[in-house]
Amino acid sequence: MGTTDTLRFRHNQAIWVAAVLAFLGALPLATSRWFLLPLLLVPVAVGVWAWRAGTDADPAGVRVRALLGQRRIAWSEIVELASDPRGQAVVRLRDGRTTTLPAVRAADLPDLVAASGQPLAGTAETRERPDPAGQ
C-alpha cells in the first residue's frame, strides 16, 4: 500500500511556532539556574506532540498517533463515527469503548469515511440507480 492511500489529519502548524517561541522565551530563565533546566522540556514536548499527534486513515483502518505511542484500529472494529460536543471526531468500537481521533473535526468525517473505501450513506453511489434499460 502506498503513502498516497493514506489520509493524514494533523493539528495546526501554528503549534510548532508557539513551541519554538516558548522554548526561546524559557531559555534565559532555564539557563540562569541549573534546577530550572527542566523548564525547557515543556516546549520541547509540545513541539514533538505537534509533530507526531494526529490520525492516519487508509482502507485497512485508522491509526491514532499520540506523543509517545500509536494505536491501529481496523475498520471492522469501528461501529460508529460521531462527533462530541466540542466538535472532535469520536469512534465507538465493537467492545463499547470510545476513542477520540486527534486532529479530526466533525467536518472531516466524510473524508475519513471516504478514506475507508466505503461509500457514504445517501451519496450517489449508495442510492438506487435507475435501470438503464428503462424497466
Side-chain angles (χ1 to χ4, degrees), residues 21-94:
L21 290 176
F23 182 84
L24 293 175
L27 199 54
L29 178 64
T31 57
S32 67
R33 301 277 185 226
W34 67 269
F35 56 86
L36 294 176
L37 275 175
L39 286 176
L40 294 177
L41 294 177
V42 174
V44 168
V46 169
V48 171
W49 171 81
W51 169 65
R52 242 189 88 63
T55 302
D56 300 337
D58 58 34
V62 176
R63 183 171 56 169
V64 179
R65 297 171 46 133
L67 176 64
L68 297 176
Q70 64 184 2
R71 178 179 177 197
R72 183 81 176 161
I73 304 171
W75 288 113
S76 61
E77 293 299 313
I78 297 174
V79 175
E80 178 182 16
L81 286 169
S83 65
D84 65 8
R86 297 180 306 155
Q88 289 191 315
V90 178
V91 295
R92 187 167 55 91
L93 305 176
R94 287 192 187 279

Side-chain angles (χ1 to χ4, degrees), residues 77-121:
E77 293 299 313
I78 297 174
V79 175
E80 178 182 16
L81 286 169
S83 65
D84 65 8
R86 297 180 306 155
Q88 289 191 315
V90 178
V91 295
R92 187 167 55 91
L93 305 176
R94 287 192 187 279
D95 60 8
R97 292 182 297 157
T98 60
T99 301
T100 301
L101 300 177
V104 181
R105 308 295 299 164
D108 297 328
L109 287 176
D111 294 333
L112 186 66
V113 172
S116 73
Q118 299 296 318
L120 285 172

Side-chain angles (χ1 to χ4, degrees), residues 6-22:
T6 302
L7 181 61
R8 300 181 193 287
F9 298 94
R10 295 292 183 264
H11 294 285
N12 192 320
Q13 294 301 308
I15 298 172
W16 277 79
V17 175
V20 169
L21 290 176

